[in-house]
Amino acid sequence: MLAAESRKKSYVDPKSQEIDFQIRDMVFLQVTPMKGIKCFVKKGKLSQRSIEPFEILERIGQVAYRLAKPPALAAVHDAFHVLMLQNYVSDSSHILSYEALEL
């Protein structure tokens, strides 16, 4: 039994990584399995996997973070597990400028 456990551990350990965020970091929130969020237009594999970047307000324990949410998500609790968060890297190409079209 110990040999099987150590073999499994040797397979899993190289793949696992420590996920750590700092306060004031921006993260995406993965919402696929969450109830109470009605922002999906499409169902199935074309639905959104994560929503807008949120700011981390504080760390709760080892694996949970409190996020700053908009009022539209007031029904959802504000503490999330680290596996539901995805790092957001700011990029100027993400910002779209809307210019008036001339006909």
Side-chain angles (χ1 to χ4, degrees):
M1 189 65 98
L2 285 173
E5 285 180 10
S6 65
R7 185 172 53 246
K8 284 183 184 179
K9 183 171 172 42
S10 69
Y11 293 143
V12 171
D13 281 349
K15 296 177 188 174
S16 65
Q17 58 184 351
E18 188 79 21
I19 301 172
D20 190 28
F21 297 110
Q22 303 299 322
I23 295 176
R24 315 275 296 166
D25 280 352
M26 299 298 280
V27 292
F28 284 116
L29 177 62
Q30 295 179 357
V31 294
T32 306
M34 294 181 74
K35 294 181 180 178
I37 297 180
K38 307 256 188 229
C39 64
F40 305 119
V41 177
K42 299 181 188 226
K43 292 185 179 183
K45 57 184 178 178
L46 297 178
S47 66
Q48 289 180 319
R49 300 291 190 242
S50 57
I51 55 175
E52 62 185 86
F54 297 103
E55 182 181 353
I56 294 179
L57 296 178
E58 67 175 312
R59 184 175 183 159
I60 305 169
Q62 296 287 332
V63 293
Y65 291 92
R66 187 174 314 275
L67 301 180
K69 301 180 310 178
L73 297 178
V76 181
H77 198 270
D78 60 349
F80 298 97
H81 194 270
V82 70
L83 294 178
M84 295 181 71
L85 304 176
Q86 184 178 7
N87 194 20
Y88 170 72
V89 178
S90 170
D91 189 6
S92 61
S93 67
H94 293 157
I95 301 171
L96 301 175
S97 61
Y98 298 102
E99 297 177 3
L101 296 174
E102 294 182 23
L103 298 176

